[in-house]
Amino acid sequence: TLLASMPKAKKRSESTLHRDEIAHGPAVSDTVAELGLAVPMPSVLTQTRADRKQDRVAAKKERTQRIKAAMSSLEGRAAEVAEHKRFVEAEKRQEEMEARARKLQLKAEHIQARRARDDAAEQRDRELRERQAVIVAEQLATLRKREKAERREARKYFKELEAQAAVQPDAVHITVKRTAEMQAVRESLPVTAEEQPIMDAVENSKGNAVIVCGETGSGKTTQIPQF
């Protein structure tokens, strides 16, 4: 396309251009004005082999430098990542240590609070036992005083009974007027036949109780008080 756009006087054969390019590369003297081109020629056609080699060496060197810079940047980033990782691990260990310390502190506080509750409960139980002992002692003292007073009253009562028995006659006869029908019914009761034994038992009881057993309707309640 480029050759077709050149003037006829300036055209060169393809074989000549090919030989020159193989031997020396594109001719540097073929400028845009000399060739009569409307647009500039590509740089690949205006450079020699040495220039292209130098450009390749420079590009390779630049690429190597970029690779080295990238590797250095990656190493720096890797170092930063490693440092950040160490920082995160250190923070994590610190948090774990603080969590264990808080847990131990809470456990110690719980044990201390439980001991305090146990001590308070033991103190309350001890005070309650002491109050109970005082109350029991007071009640026992009151009972003893009451028993002593009752014994004194009993002795006094028995002394009065003995004094009364000493001045009273052995037997007292009281005449009771009853109708013949009432007397017949009274004598038919079973307890009437036991009047003398009952009176002897009362006389010989010396102030103690006398128990009388009999069938219902035998006259215990109505007749013994009349004896």
Side-chain angles (χ1 to χ4, degrees):
T1 304
L2 294 173
L3 294 175
S5 63
M6 296 178 184
K8 292 181 179 181
K10 297 294 181 178
K11 284 187 178 181
R12 301 171 64 182
S13 64
E14 293 182 3
S15 60
T16 304
L17 289 173
H18 184 63
R19 284 195 303 272
D20 292 342
E21 186 178 357
I22 292 174
H24 306 288
V28 180
S29 61
D30 295 338
T31 61
V32 177
E34 291 174 351
L35 296 177
L37 297 178
V39 295
M41 290 183 63
S43 60
V44 69
L45 298 177
T46 61
Q47 289 180 340
T48 62
R49 182 182 297 175
D51 294 336
R52 289 196 300 272
K53 184 176 181 181
Q54 186 177 0
D55 291 342
R56 287 195 300 271
V57 171
K60 184 176 180 181
K61 185 177 180 180
E62 183 181 359
R63 185 170 62 251
T64 303
Q65 290 178 353
R66 288 199 302 270
I67 292 173
K68 288 182 178 180
M71 291 298 295
S72 178
S73 178
L74 288 176
E75 290 177 357
R77 292 293 180 86
E80 291 178 359
V81 170
E83 182 66 22
H84 180 69
K85 185 177 180 180
R86 287 192 296 271
F87 176 76
V88 171
E89 290 177 353
E91 288 290 331
K92 186 176 180 180
R93 287 194 299 271
Q94 183 67 23
E95 291 178 357
E96 291 176 353
M97 291 176 63
E98 291 177 356
R100 285 196 296 269
R102 287 194 300 270
K103 186 176 181 181
L104 292 175
Q105 184 178 0
L106 290 175
K107 186 175 181 180
E109 291 177 355
H110 177 69
I111 293 173
Q112 186 176 1
R114 184 174 61 186
R115 288 178 179 175
R117 290 194 301 269
D118 294 341
D119 294 340
E122 185 178 357
Q123 180 66 21
R124 288 194 301 270
D125 293 341
R126 183 165 55 252
E127 292 176 356
L128 180 61
R129 287 193 297 270
E130 291 175 356
R131 288 197 299 269
Q132 289 177 348
V134 172
I135 293 173
V136 170
E138 292 177 353
Q139 291 179 351
L140 288 176
T142 304
L143 289 174
R144 292 192 188 96
K145 291 179 180 179
R146 187 180 302 173
E147 289 177 356
K148 289 181 181 179
E150 290 176 353
R151 284 197 295 270
R152 286 195 301 269
E153 292 292 333
R155 286 194 297 270
K156 182 179 178 181
Y157 176 72
F158 289 137
K159 287 180 180 180
E160 291 177 354
L161 288 179
E162 290 175 357
Q164 292 177 2
V167 299
Q168 288 180 354
D170 294 338
V172 177
H173 178 72
I174 299 175
T175 303
V176 180
K177 294 180 180 182
R178 302 182 181 92
T179 62
E181 184 179 0
M182 180 72 68
Q183 187 66 24
V185 173
R186 182 175 181 273
E187 291 177 355
S188 65
L189 295 173
V191 75
T192 304
E194 302 295 331
E195 180 178 356
Q196 190 61 41
I198 291 173
M199 293 305 298
D200 293 340
V202 172
E203 180 66 23
N204 297 327
S205 66
K206 297 181 180 181
N208 294 324
V210 177
I211 300 175
V212 179
C213 297
E215 296 292 336
T216 303
S218 60
K220 303 183 298 298
T221 304
T222 60
Q223 300 305 312
I224 291 177
Q226 299 183 51
F227 294 164

